[in-house]
């Protein structure tokens, strides 16, 4: 949206018409309230931006179908606030009052009377209003400007309408209007080309009236159009056009410098200012109530005199508040400006290359530094903090993809809700002319999937007003169908609609971007999940997840396995929809802010974190109770879930979550780099993206994978975690405790012939007592002291290593892994140590 500058924010309100309570739609579901329909259509009006048009900014719903609209008005002119009312109310079908001012209505609109397009009795008759009716209204406005007075203001509305209809019997409408209003001399003095334009606009028959396009080529505009520079729509972030193609700098560079008393806030976009106004305590309904535009009645005064059993009521007087009141209330920005008074001017223009701090300095910089450490929910409601973050992200995104690394860096702090849609697109590596690609996809030709999509959409996040609107359903249908058509090797699975919901909500007016984000998200986190036969992919994923539960919480893993409550029973909807099927959107936004910063294995950590929040209840219950618990998932603290997921992710070796059905390695210069050859420092790369060597993990048959309770790690991870170097020495300082303990379960003789530096020897044959407990010895004492750190079991044969690891899990040892390929993988590295002979 354009900058606020010297414009003002104004609000107006009206009621949508009520629907009967006992009527359902053709799908058997309750009818969508008209206020939600209006809210959905309103979104398109927000995209209309022009210096000479009022800008719609936001809409909100109140009680009983009330809608409250926020607009931007230029030069204090509030008369144009209902230019989109006809569209947003479905040509007047969703309200109980007529649309339009009587004096400006075209004759054909008056002749047809009140029309509800949804009324089946109207048949296929075309709607009376259209571009040509607007030409008539334009003619009335031009006449008023030329005559210097308003038309038909001193007569009753019914008489006005009759007068306009009778103009059909008159040849020269302009002259008759001038005579009626006593301004004939003023009209006759007009230039001939202006009179001709008036007569064209005020042509009675629509068939003879020109269209707006025909009016634009009228000679009257030839001498005027050259005085105005053509309006250039700003180029979007993801486009093939150059964003700086029309950039013009003033000849005097000092014009860019502002005085200390100038309004920096006025240079910010309208939606930013309104967002900050709300954070600073602004309330649209409260402002309208204070100005007595919204007036409440005691409930007793709204009771009917007579009520039937079926709910039909009689005897209520018509409430005039349900008619249109076009009074506009100006919103004061004083409270917001006072809240931001300590923000220095430099904060509005941060230096992107400053590595010292992501927060610009201000008089309250210490306070801002403290704010960063506060919970996310508090940071998102802090006006000053959000201003700084919005400005910073706005600057970074305008420099995308050149500043991709910095976008990643700042996203690790937090993502401002107002910028979330574009920030996610940047994190997903969306680039290029996304609109052209989206437009090239056939979204209209019927396909077999259409029926399932139509069934799923009315059940997808319908608590949300935007997604439950008819416009939301149409956009859902188009984006989902575009994805299905553009991925012929994949199919539509139930849950894809939930996966689409966050992207559509954030980019409601940009279907192309919603589609592009979804198309980038699925290959990264859900590669081949939507194959027609995806059983092998799902089963491998759930098996790795089961190993992650055993790795991080062996006690919980043992209990769930004992009662037979396996991930197949509850986790498929989690991962197939990346938790969008189980969490509301506001939680998904916070969860995905972090998910998009992690690699494809991060969802495993989220799943484990969810289980750990339910840990006490799961451990205390059996199979049936656990099934009931997950049928209606209890409230999950999403901020705690995110924190614990990050901790789990940091403790998980990369190769432990290796999947052979994961996305293949990306080409150089893909999302793991900044697009210009330099690796990003803030990106958690996937294990499969790393160059494959002899020390890498090898693919494993699904049956073998399922037979192992603990995950395997690669020799590369072992070397890295043990910080080994050539000669068997470690690179860490003597004071630091190892991150990992290698447990060699081979015989004492084999251990003496060569082993990992720092490893301990616990031969498998003598490690456990008959009841499964570890036999106490110095080595098992060392193992106990490393409890909670990563334990790697090393053997000749993988089967014995897996069995030893299973025994450790049974006695509740966490973070147990096995070395993929065993000791043989390490022999060629030269990193094995042979103990010195005893003298």
């Amino acid at each position: 949206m354009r900058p606020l500058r010297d414009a003002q924010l104004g609000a107006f309100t009206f009621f949508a018409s009520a629907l009967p309570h006992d009527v359902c739609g053709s799908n058997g579901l309750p009818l969508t309230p008209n206020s939600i329909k209006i809210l959905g259509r309103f979104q398109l009006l927000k995209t209309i931006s022009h210096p000479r048009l009022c800008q719609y900014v936001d809409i909100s719903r109140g009680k009983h179908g009330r809608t409250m609209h926020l607009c931007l008005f230029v030069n204090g002119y509030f008369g144009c606030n209902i230019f989109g009312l006809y569209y947003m109310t479905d040509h007047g079908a969703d309200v109980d009052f007529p649309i339009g001012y009587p004096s400006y209505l075209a004759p054909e609109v008056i002749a047809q009377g009140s029309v509800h397009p949804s009324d089946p009795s109207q048949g296929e008759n075309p709607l009376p209003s259209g571009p040509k009716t607007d030409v008539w209204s334009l003619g009335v406005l031009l006449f008023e400007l030329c005559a210097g007075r308003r038309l038909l203001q001193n007569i009753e509305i019914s008489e006005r309408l009759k007068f306009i209809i009778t103009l059909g019997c008159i040849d020269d409408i302009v002259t008759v209007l001038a005579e009626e209003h006593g301004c004939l001399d003023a009209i006759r003095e007009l230039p001939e080309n202006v009179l001709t334009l008036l007569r064209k606009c005020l042509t009675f028959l629509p068939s003879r009236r020109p269209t707006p396009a025909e009016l634009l080529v009228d000679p009257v505009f030839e001498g005027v159009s050259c005085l105005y520079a053509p309006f250039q729509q700003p180029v979007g972030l993801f486009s093939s056009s150059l964003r700086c193609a029309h950039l013009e700098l003033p000849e005097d560079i000092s014009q860019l410098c502002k005085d200390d008393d100038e309004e920096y806030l006025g240079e910010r976009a309208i939606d930013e200012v309104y967002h900050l106004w709300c954070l600073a305590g602004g309330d649209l309904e409260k402002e309208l109530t204070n100005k007595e535009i919204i007036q409440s009645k005691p409930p007793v005064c709204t009771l009917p005199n007579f009520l039937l059993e079926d709910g039909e009521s009689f005897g209520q007087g018509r409430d005039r508040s349900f008619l249109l009141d076009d009074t506009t209330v100006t919103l004061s920005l004083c409270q917001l400006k006072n809240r931001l008074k300590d923000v220095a001017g430099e904060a509005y223009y941060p230096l992107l290359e400053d590595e010292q701090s992501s927060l610009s300095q201000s008089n309250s910089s210490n306070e801002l530094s403290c704010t960063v450490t506060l919970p996310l929910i508090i940071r998102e409601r802090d006006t000053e903090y959000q201003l700084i973050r919005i400005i910073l992200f706005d600057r970074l995104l305008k420099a995308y993809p050149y500043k991709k690394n910095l976008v990643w860096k700042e996203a690790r702090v937090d993502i401002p809700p107002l910028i979330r849609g574009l920030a996610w697109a940047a994190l997903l590596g969306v680039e290029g002319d996304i609109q052209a690609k989206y437009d090239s996809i056939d979204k209209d030709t019927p396909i077999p999937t259409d029926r399932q999509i139509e069934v799923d959409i009315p059940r997808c996040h319908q608590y949300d007003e935007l997604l439950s609107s008819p416009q939301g359903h149409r956009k859902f249908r188009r984006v989902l169908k575009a994805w299905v058509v553009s991925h012929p090797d994949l199919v539509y699975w139930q849950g894809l609609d939930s996966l689409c919901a966050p992207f559509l909500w954030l980019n409601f007016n940009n279907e192309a971007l919603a589609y592009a984000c979804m198309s980038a998200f699925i290959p990264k986190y859900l590669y081949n999940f939507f194959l027609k036969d995806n059983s092998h992919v799902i089963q491998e994923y759930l098996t790795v997840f089961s190993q992650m539960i055993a790795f991080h919480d062996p006690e919980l893993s043992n209990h769930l396995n004992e009662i037979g409550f396996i991930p197949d029973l509850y986790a498929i909807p989690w991962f197939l929809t990346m938790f969008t099927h189980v969490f509301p959107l506001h939680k998904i936004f916070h969860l995905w802010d972090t998910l998009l910063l992690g690699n494809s294995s991060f969802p495993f950590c989220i799943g484990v974190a969810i289980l750990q929040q339910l840990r006490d209840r799961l451990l205390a219950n059996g199979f049936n109770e656990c099934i009931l618990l997950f049928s209606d998932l209890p409230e999950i603290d999403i901020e705690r879930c995110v924190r614990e997921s990050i901790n789990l992710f940091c403790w998980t070796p990369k190769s432990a979550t290796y999947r052979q059905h994961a996305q293949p390695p990306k080409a150089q210069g893909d999302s793991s780099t900044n697009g210009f050859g330099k690796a990003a420092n803030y990106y958690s790369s996937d294990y499969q993206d790393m160059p494959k060597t002899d020390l890498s993990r090898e693919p494993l048959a699904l049956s073998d994978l399922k037979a192992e309770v603990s995950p395997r790690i690669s020799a590369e991870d072992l070397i890295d975690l043990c910080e080994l170097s050539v000669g068997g020495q470690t690179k860490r300082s003597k004071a630091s405790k190892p991150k990992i303990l290698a447990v060699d379960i081979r015989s004492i003789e084999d251990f003496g012939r060569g082993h990992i530096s720092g490893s301990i020897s616990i031969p498998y044959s003598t490690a456990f007592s008959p009841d499964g407990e570890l036999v106490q010895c110095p080595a098992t004492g060392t193992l106990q002291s490393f409890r909670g750190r990563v334990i790697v079991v090393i053997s000749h044969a993988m089967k014995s290593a897996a069995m030893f690891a299973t025994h450790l899990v049974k006695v509740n040892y966490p973070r147990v892994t096995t070395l993929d390929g065993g000791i043989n993988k390490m022999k060629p590295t030269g990193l094995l140590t042979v103990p010195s002979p005893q003298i």
Side-chain angles (χ1 to χ4, degrees):
M1 291 187 178
R2 64 180 187 262
L4 177 67
R5 294 203 171 98
D6 58 350
Q8 294 176 289
L9 291 173
F12 67 99
T13 182
F14 61 83
F15 279 101
S17 56
L19 293 174
H21 298 287
D22 57 345
V23 178
C24 294
S26 57
N27 57 2
L29 298 175
L31 296 175
T32 303
N34 286 328
S35 56
I36 287 184
K37 295 180 183 178
I38 292 172
L39 181 142
R41 294 190 205 97
F42 179 91
Q43 306 306 314
L44 180 63
L45 299 177
K46 292 163 62 174
T47 65
I48 302 174
S49 180
H50 193 280
R52 286 174 284 279
L53 284 179
C54 296
Q55 173 79 56
Y56 277 113
V57 180
D58 194 26
I59 182 174
S60 60
R61 292 177 68 232
K63 296 179 180 178
H64 310 300
R66 179 182 291 279
T67 60
M68 292 161 285
H69 308 254
L70 182 75
C71 303
L72 182 82
F73 301 97
V74 183
N75 299 325
Y77 177 60
F78 301 122
C80 61
N81 56 7
I82 59 170
F83 78 90
L85 196 59
Y86 185 73
Y87 167 76
M88 78 171 79
T89 61
D90 192 19
H91 323 295
D94 296 337
V95 290
D96 290 330
F97 52 82
I99 305 296
Y101 288 108
S103 302
Y104 301 92
L105 294 178
E108 62 270 21
V109 176
I110 299 172
Q112 184 146 349
S114 178
V115 177
H116 273 214
S118 56
D119 186 355
S121 64
Q122 298 293 333
E124 298 297 326
N125 293 332
L127 294 171
S129 293
K132 287 193 173 185
T133 62
D134 292 338
V135 170
W136 174 278
S137 302
L138 173 65
V140 176
L141 286 170
L142 291 175
F143 187 94
E144 289 182 341
L145 290 173
C146 295
R149 63 191 65 189
R150 304 287 292 273
L151 296 187
L152 308 175
Q153 291 300 303
N154 298 322
I155 57 177
E156 294 291 333
I157 291 180
S158 59
E159 295 300 319
R160 292 189 217 175
L161 301 180
K162 289 179 183 178
F163 177 79
I164 295 173
I165 291 293
T166 58
L167 292 176
C169 305
I170 299 169
D171 293 330
D172 191 349
I173 294 177
V174 173
T175 301
V176 171
L177 287 175
E179 290 175 347
E180 284 287 332
H181 293 82
C183 56
L184 185 59
D185 292 338
I187 295 298
R188 284 177 174 173
E189 293 175 0
L190 294 174
E192 188 60 33
N193 57 356
V194 175
L195 277 172
T196 302
L197 179 66
L198 283 173
R199 290 191 175 99
K200 286 182 179 179
C201 293
L202 296 175
T203 300
F204 189 84
L205 293 177
S207 58
R208 298 182 182 178
R209 197 181 305 148
T211 63
E214 292 168 344
L215 281 182
L216 284 175
V217 298
D218 192 277
V220 75
F221 296 113
E222 290 181 358
V224 179
S225 57
C226 61
L227 302 177
Y228 297 91
F231 173 66
Q232 297 283 348
Q233 282 285 359
V235 179
L237 181 59
F238 304 101
S239 170
S240 59
S241 303
L242 293 175
R243 278 177 268 168
C244 57
H246 302 286
L247 180 64
E248 294 182 0
L249 294 176
E251 296 180 4
D252 184 4
I253 199 68
S254 63
Q255 295 180 25
L256 295 176
C257 301
K258 286 181 171 289
D259 298 329
D260 291 338
D261 58 349
E262 275 201 75
E263 287 281 351
Y264 291 96
L265 189 64
E267 296 302 316
R268 303 309 304 169
I270 304 160
D271 54 342
E272 290 181 23
V273 175
Y274 175 62
H275 178 70
L276 296 171
W277 179 81
C278 293
L279 293 179
D283 186 303
L284 213 55
E285 185 170 2
K286 183 179 179 181
E287 294 289 333
L288 291 166
T289 302
N290 290 342
K291 298 293 184 180
E292 299 185 349
I293 303 300
I294 295 179
Q295 297 181 354
S296 60
K297 284 186 176 181
V300 69
C301 296
T302 63
L303 293 175
N305 295 335
F306 187 61
L307 188 67
L308 297 181
E309 291 182 354
D310 60 2
E312 189 174 2
S313 60
F314 301 91
Q316 287 175 305
R318 183 167 186 180
D319 190 347
R320 294 192 61 82
S321 65
F322 282 86
L323 301 178
L324 177 64
D325 182 354
D326 61 356
T327 304
T328 302
V329 174
T330 308
L331 304 184
S332 173
L333 299 179
C334 293
Q335 186 173 349
L336 173 61
K337 292 177 180 178
N338 184 61
R339 183 68 178 85
L340 301 177
K341 64 182 179 180
D342 290 334
V343 179
E346 293 82 1
Y348 290 85
Y349 304 96
L351 294 175
L352 300 186
E353 299 302 326
D354 181 13
E355 294 292 337
Q356 298 299 317
S357 173
S358 63
L359 294 173
S360 301
Q361 296 298 310
S362 70
N363 293 339
S364 57
S365 58
N366 290 334
E367 180 183 343
L368 287 180
S369 299
C370 296
T371 306
V372 178
T373 63
L374 294 175
L376 180 61
I377 192 69
I378 296 178
R379 280 178 275 154
E380 288 189 346
R381 295 175 182 174
D382 187 283
T383 310
E384 189 174 3
Y385 180 80
Q386 283 302 307
L387 171 68
I388 300 298
R389 298 296 290 170
I390 289 171
I391 291 172
L392 180 60
F393 265 87
D394 181 55
R395 292 289 301 277
L396 292 174
L397 290 171
K398 285 177 178 175
Y400 176 83
Y402 299 97
K403 296 297 182 183
K404 182 185 291 187
N405 282 358
L406 287 179
V407 173
W408 276 88
K409 176 186 175 183
E410 294 301 333
R412 286 185 179 271
V413 179
D414 55 45
I415 298 176
L418 190 67
I419 311 288
R420 183 172 277 129
L422 292 177
W424 280 13
L427 295 177
L428 287 167
V430 174
E431 293 183 27
D433 192 352
I434 59 173
Q435 189 63 52
K437 181 177 181 180
Y438 184 70
D439 291 342
S440 67
I441 302 172
D442 181 7
K443 299 176 281 292
D444 300 317
T445 303
I447 58 175
T449 312
D450 288 351
R451 174 59 184 162
Q452 187 61 53
I453 292 176
E454 291 291 341
V455 170
D456 288 346
I457 289 175
R459 301 180 297 189
C460 179
H461 292 282
Q462 293 304 285
Y463 57 86
D464 182 79
E465 297 173 346
L466 201 56
L467 297 184
S468 66
S469 67
Q471 291 295 322
H473 287 195
R474 292 189 193 98
K475 290 176 180 289
F476 252 135
R477 192 179 306 116
R478 288 170 57 83
V479 174
L480 288 171
K481 193 166 181 178
W483 186 88
V484 172
V485 170
S486 61
H487 296 80
D489 54 326
L490 303 175
V491 298
Y492 178 89
W493 280 90
Q494 282 185 296
L496 191 64
D497 53 325
S498 296
L499 199 63
C500 173
F503 297 120
L504 181 60
W505 195 94
L506 292 173
N507 305 287
F508 197 79
N509 286 322
N510 194 340
E511 292 178 26
L513 187 55
Y515 163 80
C517 289
M518 182 177 169
S519 298
F521 181 92
I522 290 175
K524 180 178 179 180
Y525 296 100
L526 295 166
Y527 185 75
N528 279 347
F529 266 57
F530 295 96
L531 288 172
K532 187 173 184 179
D533 180 9
N534 64 358
S535 58
H536 58 293
V537 180
I538 296 288
Q539 285 302 309
E540 181 191 41
Y541 202 95
L542 294 177
T543 303
V544 173
F545 176 56
S546 182
Q547 291 181 347
M548 284 297 99
I549 301 173
F551 178 80
H552 290 291
D553 196 335
E555 183 182 3
L556 181 60
S557 173
N558 292 331
H559 174 71
L560 296 180
N561 288 333
E562 286 172 5
I563 65 174
F565 193 65
I566 58 177
D568 306 56
L569 299 174
Y570 61 88
I572 293 179
W574 289 7
F575 299 123
L576 192 64
T577 68
M578 278 298 122
F579 309 99
T580 56
H581 186 69
V582 292
F583 290 138
L585 285 174
H586 71 277
K587 291 189 175 183
I588 288 297
F589 292 148
H590 288 172
L591 186 66
W592 280 20
D593 280 351
T594 304
L595 171 66
L596 293 176
L597 296 168
N599 59 30
S600 62
S601 67
F602 193 78
F604 294 127
C605 301
I606 296 175
V608 175
I610 293 172
L611 291 177
Q612 288 187 331
Q613 282 201 38
L614 305 173
R615 189 175 191 274
D616 292 342
R617 299 175 68 173
L618 290 172
L619 289 174
N621 288 313
F623 179 85
N624 292 335
E625 292 81 5
C626 289
I627 288 289
L628 291 174
L629 181 68
F630 278 79
S631 64
D632 186 14
L633 195 67
E635 183 73 15
I636 297 294
D637 183 344
I638 209 68
E639 304 309 320
R640 175 186 165 192
C641 179
V642 169
R643 289 194 307 270
E644 294 179 352
S645 298
I646 295 173
N647 182 58
L648 295 170
F649 182 76
C650 293
W651 271 106
T652 306
K654 282 188 176 181
S655 57
T657 55
Y658 166 79
R659 293 180 296 116
Q660 60 176 314
H661 295 298
Q663 186 180 19
K666 305 181 186 70
Q668 184 68 21
D670 213 327
S671 62
S672 58
T673 69
N674 61 10
F676 306 99
K678 181 182 177 183
N681 296 323
Y682 308 102
Y683 178 70
S684 299
S685 59
D686 274 304
Y687 176 73
Q688 62 266 19
D689 290 335
M690 301 172 64
K692 188 172 177 60
T693 68
D694 293 337
L695 302 179
S696 301
R697 273 198 63 174
E698 298 294 337
L700 193 63
L702 182 60
S703 57
D704 294 335
L705 185 67
K706 285 187 172 184
E708 299 182 3
V709 173
S710 296
R712 298 185 181 191
I713 68 168
S714 67
E716 296 165 320
D717 266 351
L718 177 64
I719 294 171
D720 179 59
L721 291 170
C722 288
E723 299 179 346
L724 297 175
S725 60
V726 177
Q729 300 300 315
T730 60
K731 296 181 287 185
R732 62 179 178 271
S733 64
K734 292 183 179 179
S736 64
K737 190 174 182 179
K739 305 174 184 176
I740 190 171
L741 177 66
V743 179
D744 197 321
I745 65 170
R746 297 175 297 157
S747 65
I748 298 294
E749 293 77 14
D750 287 339
F751 183 81
R753 296 187 185 104
H755 57 268
I756 302 292
S757 176
S759 62
I760 60 173
S761 175
I762 305 181
Y764 183 29
S765 58
T766 60
F768 295 95
S769 64
D771 59 358
E773 295 295 327
L774 274 171
V775 175
Q776 295 300 313
C777 66
T780 56
T782 303
L783 178 63
Q784 178 65 31
S785 69
F786 273 78
R787 194 184 192 104
R789 294 182 177 267
V790 178
I791 298 171
V792 183
V793 180
I794 303 172
S795 179
H796 280 305
M798 287 305 304
K799 185 175 182 180
S800 58
M803 292 176 65
F804 188 95
T806 301
H807 278 294
L808 289 181
V809 172
K810 287 291 185 183
V811 293
N812 297 333
Y813 267 84
R815 298 179 180 137
V816 178
T817 66
T818 59
L819 176 62
D820 183 53
I823 195 68
N824 293 328
K825 271 286 183 80
M826 296 297 297
K827 287 180 178 179
T829 65
L831 296 176
L832 296 183
T833 300
V834 177
S836 301
Q838 298 291 328
I839 298 177

